[in-house]
Amino acid sequence: MTVTKTNASRLRHLQGKRVFMEDFGCQMNKNDAELVVGRLGRAGWSRAERPEEADVVLYYTCAVREHAEERIYGRLGHLKRLKKERPDLVIGVMGCMAQNQKERIFERAPHVDLVVGTSRFEEIADFLADIEYQDRVVALDQGEVAYERDIHARPVRHQAYVTVMRGCDKFCTFCIVPFTQGRERSRTPEEIEKEVRALVDDGVQQVTLLGQRVNTYGLDLNRGETLATLLQRLESIPGLGRLQFITSHPTHIDETLMRVIRDHPVHSRYLHLPVQSGSDRMLRIMNRGHDVESYRRTMDMVRRIVPDMSLATDWIVGFPGETDEDFQASVRLQKDVGFQTSFVFKYSDRSGTKASRSMPDDVPQAVKEERNQILLAQQRAISEELHRGRVGTEHTILVEGRSKRDASKWFGRTSQNWIVVFSAERDFTGQFVRVRVTDATALTLFAELV
Ligand code: SF4
């Protein structure tokens, strides 16, 4: 199963083909999937809305949770019949699950033709050309990624994601990312600036910088670059309305970064800082590299410097060995910090991680579910109280489109990432408008145009 480089003439006969792409997992996957579709678009391909209409079906996969992997195997299972009817249909699995499971994918889904790891997606057109001459193509490893993108190929006109680094050096015991994405590699700030300027020139209002541990951006470049210097470099690009970044790790949030955010209105007031647990014992077992006290101090510092910062976090419930006492510490921390948003995950064993190798998944499913519900319920109460206190206040929102619940209304987001639903006579999608909050629930603010 070797992969050879192809040339333009080999690609020519692939022109006019149609690709169906579905992505799973994080924003970085979404962005990489867009890059793949954009790249194929440049080779003359168009996008199919359904697998049945496609010549090539690609899944951009996630290995972080078992649930996502099972959904992907479910999708692949459904394609078996289609592949039988149309043996020339090409089915490909890309991204983290491809990198992690490698040829095991062929064992569970022998009708798959293509397995492409996390850093080879830029070569997709080559691999699809290779498939014409080979039964299967497997392209793994963590070579450098070129990050060349088609600026115009993106599903939403007014916002775009820009990957600024890949990989993670942290090795949290539950996480597969360092194994599938490799060590931290930052792009140069010059290259990132060029991409952001091109996107803004093409109508993008909001840019989200992506990295698995985005707040360590630049450290591997060894030239004094940090996330703070990158934000400063980008903040004054004419036409850029909002700049944000995900996802951060608690150990590299410092005062300098917060002051940069405070000092320019383009920076989003939204900080997603996963804590995972409120118990020092669990944080140690998870190898998170911080304790509860330092996390609390960081949050206090953030609020002192940027008082209107909205805080979001992630929790894992039912991590191996988590006692009720450990869990109660999480409940306390959630209440004390008063997060606007919590993403709660029930622990599931991910093969390839340290936890999978050495820690039995010993918390019963029913206990995980109960803990999940407790954190979700407390979060709902905190969010609702915070949101109710915002009734009567005014905000600038970036309008994203029609409300998903009520098509007669519109919705957008504040700088703090709060969702705002409002009525308007005309379509303001992609524009900033000013609104006054009139009502609130835990998840949504309702507002009128000012
Ligand atoms: S810092 Fe994040 S990406 Fe890195 S190992 Fe930990 S959880 Fe995974």
Side-chain angles (χ1 to χ4, degrees), residues 134-235:
Q134 299 176 61
D135 288 343
R136 283 171 174 169
V137 170
V138 179
L140 301 170
D141 94 38
Q142 289 154 359
E144 278 315 304
V145 184
Y147 293 104
E148 193 189 311
R149 89 185 279 170
D150 181 351
I151 292 297
H152 312 292
R154 56 179 193 278
V156 181
R157 302 310 305 158
H158 61 271
Q159 59 174 324
Y161 295 94
V162 173
T163 299
V164 300
M165 67 183 296
R166 279 179 194 278
C168 181
D169 292 351
K170 195 73 200 73
F171 290 93
C172 301
T173 54
F174 55 82
C175 185
I176 196 71
V177 166
F179 303 99
T180 57
Q181 298 276 346
R183 306 308 292 259
E184 290 173 5
R185 288 104 65 210
S186 301
R187 298 172 69 193
T188 65
E190 293 81 7
E191 198 186 325
I192 296 165
E193 182 182 346
K194 196 168 151 222
E195 185 171 324
V196 172
R197 282 186 186 275
L199 286 164
V200 172
D201 286 348
D202 196 50
V204 166
Q205 292 279 348
Q206 174 176 292
V207 168
T208 306
L209 307 178
L210 295 177
Q212 263 97 13
R213 201 162 67 124
V214 71
N215 50 329
T216 54
Y217 168 79
L219 302 188
D220 58 304
L221 296 174
N222 288 319
R223 45 180 268 196
E225 296 289 344
T226 61
L227 181 60
T229 60
L230 180 64
L231 295 184
Q232 278 179 312
R233 174 186 273 268
L234 302 177
E235 66 191 12

Side-chain angles (χ1 to χ4, degrees), residues 32-33 62 74 86 146 169 204 216 235 280 335 356 366 381 408 417 439:
D32 289 349
C62 169
R86 288 172 39 207
D169 292 351
V204 166
T216 54
E235 66 191 12
D280 281 340
K335 185 157 181 266
S356 172
S408 71
N417 205 30
D439 200 1

Side-chain angles (χ1 to χ4, degrees), residues 175-328:
C175 185
I176 196 71
V177 166
F179 303 99
T180 57
Q181 298 276 346
R183 306 308 292 259
E184 290 173 5
R185 288 104 65 210
S186 301
R187 298 172 69 193
T188 65
E190 293 81 7
E191 198 186 325
I192 296 165
E193 182 182 346
K194 196 168 151 222
E195 185 171 324
V196 172
R197 282 186 186 275
L199 286 164
V200 172
D201 286 348
D202 196 50
V204 166
Q205 292 279 348
Q206 174 176 292
V207 168
T208 306
L209 307 178
L210 295 177
Q212 263 97 13
R213 201 162 67 124
V214 71
N215 50 329
T216 54
Y217 168 79
L219 302 188
D220 58 304
L221 296 174
N222 288 319
R223 45 180 268 196
E225 296 289 344
T226 61
L227 181 60
T229 60
L230 180 64
L231 295 184
Q232 278 179 312
R233 174 186 273 268
L234 302 177
E235 66 191 12
S236 300
I237 292 178
L240 178 61
R242 191 177 285 166
L243 184 59
Q244 54 193 24
F245 55 87
I246 48 174
T247 300
S248 303
H249 182 273
T251 51
H252 285 78
I253 296 291
D254 60 17
E255 296 200 5
T256 308
L257 178 63
M258 286 307 118
R259 276 194 287 269
V260 167
I261 291 172
R262 178 197 62 193
D263 291 344
H264 201 294
V266 78
H267 298 300
S268 166
R269 267 58 175 158
Y270 172 72
L271 183 63
H272 182 190
L273 203 55
V275 66
Q276 311 298 4
S277 173
S279 152
D280 281 340
R281 195 179 75 85
M282 297 317 293
L283 291 176
R284 256 193 319 277
I285 299 174
M286 290 175 177
N287 192 33
R288 290 288 289 167
H290 65 88
D291 59 16
V292 175
E293 193 43 45
S294 64
Y295 187 86
R296 284 178 189 267
R297 272 201 309 274
T298 299
M299 287 315 208
D300 289 347
M301 178 276 288
V302 168
R303 282 190 160 136
R304 181 167 43 79
I305 299 177
V306 192
D308 57 344
M309 188 72 95
S310 192
L311 302 172
T313 198
D314 293 351
W315 304 94
I316 297 175
V317 293
F319 190 79
E322 186 189 59
T323 62
D324 199 45
E325 202 180 316
D326 295 316
F327 173 66
Q328 288 307 326

